[in-house]
Amino acid sequence: MDRTLLRARVPPTPTFHHVEFDPAPSILPSESQSHDHKPSMFSTFKLTVDQLNTLKAKSNISNADDTMKYSTFNILAAYLWRSISKARGLSNDQPTRIYIPINGRSRLNPPVPPGYFGNVVFGVTKIARAGDLRSEPFTKTIERIHQLLRRVNDDYIRSALDYIEKVPDLSTLISDGVVPSMWNQPMLSRKENFS
C-alpha cells in the first residue's frame, strides 16, 4: 500500500493551530452541579425523518433571509452539541468542543486516487462556551459547524500531517469531545424534546 500521499512535508511545517489535538478543556464548577455526584445516564436514540425535517425547518425559520442552506449533518451536529451542553448542566463559561471526523480523500490536492486502499479520515474541532451555545440563535451554532468543515482543505490537512509528524507521543492525540458521525452514536444525559 502506497502511503506516500499522506506523508508529512520535509521538514514538517504546521501552518494552522490544530485545536483538535489540544487537551480537553478543564471542567469548571457549575451552580447546577452538586457535590452529590450521580452516575451519568446514557441512551441511544434514533431520529425519524419527521424529527430531522423539524430541525431543518427550525434552521430555515432562523435563517429568514434564506441566503444559506445547511446540510442535514450540520444541522444535526449543531443540535446535538447544544443539547449535550445543556443536558450536562455546564456553567456558561465552560468551554465545550465538538470533534468531527471528515473524509479527506477529495479535500487533498491532488485528490486521493479512487483505488487507494486505506482510511483518509481527519478530525476537526470547534470550541465554544456552553453559555454561547445555549443563548445564540440556532443558525449561529449551525454556522460554526459549517465554517469548521469549510476550512478543511489540502492546506489544512497537510498542516495536520505535519503537526502529527512532530508529536513525539502519538497517544497524546486522542480526542474526547462530542463526536457526531455515522460511526458513533452520540449520547445524551436526558431525553430531548423536538417540539
Side-chain angles (χ1 to χ4, degrees):
M1 179 180 328
D2 180 14
R3 295 197 183 267
T4 58
L5 297 169
L6 301 177
R7 280 194 185 147
R9 294 173 282 209
V10 179
T13 51
T15 53
F16 291 91
H17 174 208
H18 292 278
V19 68
E20 55 269 19
F21 300 127
D22 288 350
S26 298
I27 300 294
L28 303 174
S30 169
E31 292 176 17
S32 65
Q33 295 172 334
S34 69
H35 299 291
D36 189 22
H37 293 286
K38 297 176 183 164
S40 296
M41 294 175 51
F42 296 95
S43 64
T44 301
F45 62 96
K46 293 182 182 182
L47 298 174
T48 66
V49 172
D50 288 341
Q51 289 171 322
L52 286 174
N53 287 336
T54 299
L55 284 176
K56 287 180 186 180
K58 281 184 180 184
S59 72
N60 290 335
I61 290 169
S62 301
N63 187 21
D65 61 2
D66 208 34
T67 56
M68 177 63 75
K69 294 287 185 190
Y70 297 106
S71 73
T72 301
F73 180 85
N74 289 350
I75 294 167
L76 183 57
Y79 181 79
L80 289 173
W81 192 15
R82 289 166 58 111
S83 297
I84 290 170
S85 294
K86 181 180 176 184
R88 288 180 175 162
L90 302 174
S91 70
N92 285 340
D93 292 333
Q94 176 65 53
T96 179
R97 66 182 180 179
I98 187 166
Y99 177 86
I100 301 174
I102 56 112
N103 182 353
R105 288 173 177 269
S106 63
R107 295 173 189 252
L108 289 167
N109 187 15
V112 175
Y116 181 81
F117 183 78
N119 291 325
V120 187
V121 177
F122 289 87
V124 292
T125 299
K126 187 72 174 174
I127 296 178
R129 291 191 317 242
D132 292 341
L133 293 175
R134 285 191 295 265
S135 65
E136 70 189 12
F138 185 42
T139 52
K140 172 70 174 161
T141 309
I142 299 169
E143 183 64 22
R144 289 177 189 266
I145 304 290
H146 179 74
Q147 290 300 324
L148 173 67
L149 297 176
R150 281 191 57 193
R151 81 168 186 214
V152 181
N153 58 18
D154 184 71
D155 291 335
Y156 191 85
I157 293 173
R158 298 280 173 208
S159 176
L161 291 168
D162 291 347
Y163 180 91
I164 292 167
E165 181 69 22
K166 293 180 89 172
V167 173
D169 180 6
L170 294 181
S171 69
T172 63
L173 300 181
I174 297 171
S175 176
D176 59 351
V178 175
V179 184
S181 79
M182 66 168 60
W183 300 290
N184 291 297
Q185 298 175 348
M187 307 289 185
L188 290 180
S189 299
R190 65 184 181 87
K191 188 175 182 178
E192 292 293 321
N193 185 351
F194 283 88
S195 53

